[in-house]
Amino acid sequence: MGAKKSSRVPECMAERGPHTVPIVNADESPLSWLARRKDKEGRPLISRPEFDAGERLRADFYFSRMAPRVTGDWSGMSIDKNARRAAPGFGVDIADNILAARERVRLALRAAGPELSGILIDVCCYLKGLETLEKASGWPQRSGKIVLQIALARLARHYGLVRDRDFHGGAHPGRLNHWGAENYKPRIEADQL
């Protein structure tokens, strides 16, 4: 008997219900492969929050129906002859949940920045392998893993899966730590100027 292939649903997707969650084949996902592999110190190549952030982006991309389709979409066809018809996915035919997923994808890619959003789309959404991506981009071998780790770290921070102190070892210098009471005036020391 062959080994049973496991599919894993990210915790952030579990509340959406069993019928709307895309099935994940762990053998096909580059993120799963990276999460299973260890570095020289025995740590996973990507952390749990980075994995979850990538899977959240992939799920939102799936729900937003932004991926190109291979077959026709018959969901816009109506049996009622008097029903208003338009091109599928246009105007009033787009459901609110699809628009919300598209907005979440847009905001996540904006948080990652234009330099890193391409690798997130390729690896997380289109499930391209790092070796293929490195060859297509003309990058040196093993550099895609580092770029992807940086992109996933930004994505995890955007989703709130990690805090700034997880990256900096304490509160981020320059962040406002105290609003103060009414008429509160902070002291500014000479060495802070």
Side-chain angles (χ1 to χ4, degrees):
M1 286 198 175
K4 183 179 176 183
K5 292 188 179 186
S6 64
S7 62
R8 186 185 161 308
V9 176
E11 295 147 14
C12 60
M13 296 288 108
E15 68 266 5
R16 294 190 183 183
H19 302 292
T20 60
V21 177
I23 297 173
V24 178
N25 184 348
D27 294 333
E28 293 178 0
S29 171
L31 293 180
S32 295
W33 184 86
L34 288 168
R36 288 191 308 262
R37 299 297 184 269
K38 308 285 184 198
D39 64 8
K40 292 177 184 176
E41 287 81 34
R43 295 176 305 208
L45 294 177
I46 61 172
S47 68
R48 182 62 183 205
E50 291 168 349
F51 174 79
D52 288 341
E55 287 297 308
R56 182 184 267 184
L57 177 67
R58 186 191 61 78
D60 280 338
F61 188 80
Y62 172 83
F63 291 125
S64 69
R65 298 183 182 175
M66 294 170 76
R69 294 178 182 237
V70 177
T71 61
D73 182 10
W74 293 89
S75 64
M77 299 302 290
S78 174
I79 297 173
D80 185 11
K81 292 183 181 187
N82 297 326
R84 180 177 169 193
R85 292 183 7 177
F90 182 77
V92 295
D93 289 343
I94 298 179
D96 289 341
N97 60 346
I98 295 171
L99 290 174
R102 286 181 183 181
E103 182 67 9
R104 287 190 302 270
V105 169
R106 188 184 68 75
L107 292 174
L109 295 177
R110 181 194 285 169
E115 301 84 9
L116 299 173
S117 59
I119 193 169
L120 289 173
I121 290 291
D122 286 341
V123 174
C124 299
C125 303
Y126 291 129
L127 304 177
K128 289 183 182 178
L130 288 176
E131 189 174 311
T132 305
L133 187 65
E134 289 168 350
K135 285 179 184 177
S137 301
W139 293 350
Q141 287 183 342
R142 296 179 192 85
S143 63
K145 179 176 60 174
I146 296 167
V147 175
L148 180 63
Q149 287 171 331
I150 294 168
L152 288 172
R154 277 200 191 165
L155 196 60
R157 194 169 47 221
H158 165 73
Y159 285 133
L161 299 174
V162 292
R163 296 177 307 273
D164 282 336
R165 75 174 132 234
D166 295 338
F167 289 105
H168 301 290
H172 189 280
R175 293 256 175 150
L176 188 59
N177 292 326
H178 186 274
W179 283 98
E182 192 172 59
N183 296 325
Y184 172 77
K185 294 182 182 176
R187 289 188 342 206
I188 299 177
E189 303 295 329
D191 62 339
Q192 291 180 344
L193 297 176

